């Protein structure tokens, strides 16, 4: 999500990247580890989202972190809440909004926020993620299938990729 959002932002559009993984905010630890407030506090109305926003100088990417102060048991409720809807409506001046979400299989968060999303891209780790799990997860929920734009392969082994050249599958 970060790489794609940075790429798009570097081309000129106003881009917002939201760390929507309330269970494990690796993205925030990598991009804004010194922040003390974030998505949860914004959604619950404790802080204004613009005051938490970070800007990456090199690309112009706007970043909204998630700070995990304690384990949150109902993360899906936060992501599907009226506060999240208000946040996304308030961010309409951005050309693109990317939300980095937790894994789709074991966690219900993606399905909870789905009504608030225009579309989805699924990031799949090359050589690690089982293809049938990906296909079944997408196909068993028509809402996911309908909003799915495509799949991005992450951590591709470029040497092994050469073995697949010429195939049109």
């Amino acid at each position: 999500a970060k790489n794609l959002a940075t790429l798009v932002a570097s081309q000129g559009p106003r881009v917002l990247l939201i760390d929507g993984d309330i269970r494990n905010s690796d993205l925030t630890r990598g991009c804004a580890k010194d922040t003390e407030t974030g998505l949860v506090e914004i959604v619950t109305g404790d802080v204004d989202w613009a005051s938490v926003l970070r800007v990456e100088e090199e690309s112009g990417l706007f970043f909204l972190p998630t700070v995990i102060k304690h384990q949150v048991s109902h993360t899906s409720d936060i992501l599907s809440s009226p506060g999240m809807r208000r946040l996304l409506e308030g961010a309409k001046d951005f050309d693109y909004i990317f939300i980095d979400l937790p894994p789709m299989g074991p966690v219900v968060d993606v399905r909870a926020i789905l009504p608030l999303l225009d579309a989805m891209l699924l990031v799949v780790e090359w050589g690690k993620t089982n293809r049938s799990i990906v296909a079944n997860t997408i196909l068993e929920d028509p809402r996911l299938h309908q909003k799915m734009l495509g799949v991005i392969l992450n951590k591709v082994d470029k040497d092994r990729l050469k073995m697949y050249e010429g195939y049109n599958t």
Side-chain angles (χ1 to χ4, degrees):
K2 168 69 167 76
N3 290 339
L4 180 59
T6 299
L7 176 67
V8 173
S10 68
Q11 302 303 308
R14 287 179 42 87
V15 178
L16 172 63
L17 173 60
I18 299 172
D19 186 349
D21 192 342
I22 302 171
R23 297 171 190 270
N24 184 15
S25 58
D26 281 340
L27 187 59
T28 295
R29 284 192 290 279
C31 298
K33 60 184 169 194
D34 61 334
T35 192
E36 295 185 20
T37 57
L39 180 64
V40 175
E41 292 82 9
I42 293 164
V43 170
T44 58
D46 294 337
V47 297
D48 178 53
W49 70 274
S51 68
V52 179
L53 210 55
R54 304 288 182 102
V55 181
E56 185 178 72
E57 290 182 31
E58 305 83 42
S59 66
L61 174 67
F62 291 85
F63 177 63
L64 192 60
T66 289
V67 177
I68 303 172
K69 296 179 182 175
H70 53 81
Q71 187 173 0
V72 179
S73 59
H74 299 289
T75 54
S76 58
D77 290 343
I78 293 170
L79 291 172
S80 63
S81 71
M84 186 68 179
R85 183 178 300 277
R86 282 191 302 277
L87 166 63
L88 294 174
E89 288 170 359
K92 290 291 186 188
D93 62 330
F94 287 95
D95 298 310
Y96 298 95
I97 301 171
F98 292 91
I99 306 174
D100 183 50
L101 294 166
M104 192 166 53
V107 182
V108 299
D109 293 359
V110 173
R111 286 172 183 80
I113 196 172
L114 200 56
L116 303 180
L117 304 179
D118 293 330
M120 291 181 52
L121 287 168
L122 182 62
V123 178
V124 174
E125 187 172 345
W126 167 280
K128 187 172 181 183
T129 307
N130 184 298
R131 285 188 235 174
S132 62
I133 291 174
V134 172
N136 290 338
T137 301
I138 294 169
L139 294 174
E140 70 187 20
D141 188 335
R143 300 173 310 145
L144 285 172
H145 188 259
Q146 182 180 30
K147 292 197 177 194
M148 189 65 59
L149 292 178
V151 175
I152 297 174
L153 289 176
N154 196 11
K155 302 178 185 176
V156 172
D157 182 335
K158 293 178 186 174
D159 293 330
R160 286 188 57 209
L161 183 62
K162 292 177 187 176
M163 297 183 334
Y164 297 96
E165 288 180 2
Y167 287 95
N168 292 322
T169 57

